[in-house]
Amino acid sequence: NAGVTQTPKFQVLKTGQSMTLQCAQDMNHEYMSWYRQDPGMGLRLIHYSVGAGITDQGEVPNGYNVSRSTTEDFPLRLLSAAPSQTSVYFCASSRTSGRGGLDNEQFFGPGTRLTVL
Amino acid sequence: AQKVTQAQTEISVVEKEDVTLDCVYETRDTTYYLFWYKQPPSGELVFLIRRNSFDEQNEISGRYSWNFQKSTSSFNFTITASQVVDSAVYFCALSARSNYQLIWGAGTKLIIKP
């Protein structure tokens, strides 16, 4: 059981480049999400998904796209990287009870440290 | 709108002291879920506890205890007899039943000195 995996661990981009951060989970969780963590701040939700084919925006979605074609995978695409997107990115997954809200713990990947020059 | 406030940016104590980390939340939902996570220097996020809004029982797990008070919208975390290995950033987070978003506090950096 690998849990939540993220690739790459580190990435350096130039302004304007695009890239995809990969996230996969093998726990058959319905819910998956992407966060960014900046110094001195908590995690901020970028996008989330409650199941294959369903995605929605979080607090800070601008500049990012997601898709969820399978239960296992939830890639995050940076369309045109900007220095403001320099951050650590975490992917997470969890079960949902179906009653609404996140009522179970989230399992996190190890994070991707992204630097945009 | 939901909000989580962790007013203590950094706390430094000497080993074996007790320490309490504060968490104050805001939500209009009557059903919600509160969480604490730990982020050690290695960077991973470790789940500590989940509490439902309709369960105000306090919880103790070894040296860790949590005090949930709906009247003051607080969910405080106490470490008894702190150890150096407790040094980490601790986050409080909130999810309301009306949505699927987990809102995080800014975190409290806890430094335990030997």
Side-chain angles (χ1 to χ4, degrees):
Chain A
N1 220 354
V4 180
T5 58
Q6 290 183 237
T7 55
K9 283 190 168 47
F10 301 93
Q11 183 70 49
V12 179
L13 292 178
K14 293 181 180 176
T15 296
Q17 287 185 315
S18 62
M19 80 158 295
T20 299
L21 307 186
Q22 301 291 345
C23 174
Q25 51 96 6
D26 60 1
M27 297 172 281
N28 203 32
H29 286 163
E30 306 90 348
Y31 183 89
M32 295 186 74
S33 56
W34 277 102
Y35 296 91
R36 59 177 288 172
Q37 183 178 25
D38 301 301
M41 301 181 74
L43 278 69
R44 291 184 293 168
L45 182 65
I46 304 172
H47 285 285
Y48 64 96
S49 168
V50 297
I54 306 168
T55 63
D56 207 344
Q57 297 181 350
E59 300 170 83
V60 289
N62 292 342
Y64 307 94
N65 270 356
V66 292
S67 60
R68 184 108 178 260
S69 55
T70 66
T71 299
E72 295 78 20
D73 300 299
F74 191 44
L76 178 73
R77 283 186 272 292
L78 278 71
L79 309 172
S80 177
S84 60
Q85 293 179 303
T86 293
S87 190
V88 179
Y89 292 84
F90 287 98
C91 178
S93 74
S94 68
R95 290 185 298 113
T96 57
S97 66
R99 292 190 295 265
L102 294 174
D103 53 356
N104 287 291
E105 70 168 289
Q106 292 201 33
F107 293 80
F108 285 85
T112 295
R113 186 173 294 274
L114 175 68
T115 302
V116 183
L117 303 175
Chain B
Q2 299 157 226
K3 187 178 177 182
V4 176
T5 302
Q6 295 181 258
Q8 304 150 310
T9 307
E10 184 174 303
I11 300 175
S12 180
V13 300
V14 176
E15 201 172 19
K16 295 193 177 67
E17 285 186 26
D18 300 347
V19 58
T20 295
L21 309 182
D22 298 331
C23 172
V24 174
Y25 63 90
E26 294 175 31
T27 179
R28 292 182 180 174
D29 282 52
T30 54
T31 301
Y32 50 89
Y33 312 97
L34 294 161
F35 300 82
W36 276 94
Y37 283 84
K38 173 182 180 178
Q39 188 175 42
S42 50
E44 73 270 25
L45 284 150
V46 179
F47 167 79
L48 294 177
I49 191 171
R50 181 203 72 190
R51 174 62 69 213
N52 303 331
S53 57
F54 44 86
D55 180 3
E56 285 195 71
Q57 267 195 325
N58 292 327
E59 180 145 346
I60 298 174
S61 175
R63 295 183 298 106
Y64 295 172
S65 62
W66 290 268
N67 183 289
F68 175 36
Q69 292 199 338
K70 285 177 80 168
S71 59
T72 55
S73 297
S74 64
F75 186 42
N76 297 338
F77 172 33
T78 297
I79 301 175
T80 302
S82 59
Q83 299 177 3
V84 172
V85 293
D86 296 326
S87 295
V89 180
Y90 290 86
F91 293 99
C92 180
L94 164 71
S95 175
R97 191 168 178 176
S98 58
N99 63 63
Y100 285 98
Q101 301 197 29
L102 190 60
I103 305 302
W104 296 68
T108 297
K109 183 176 182 179
L110 179 62
I111 300 169
I112 310 295
K113 298 177 184 175

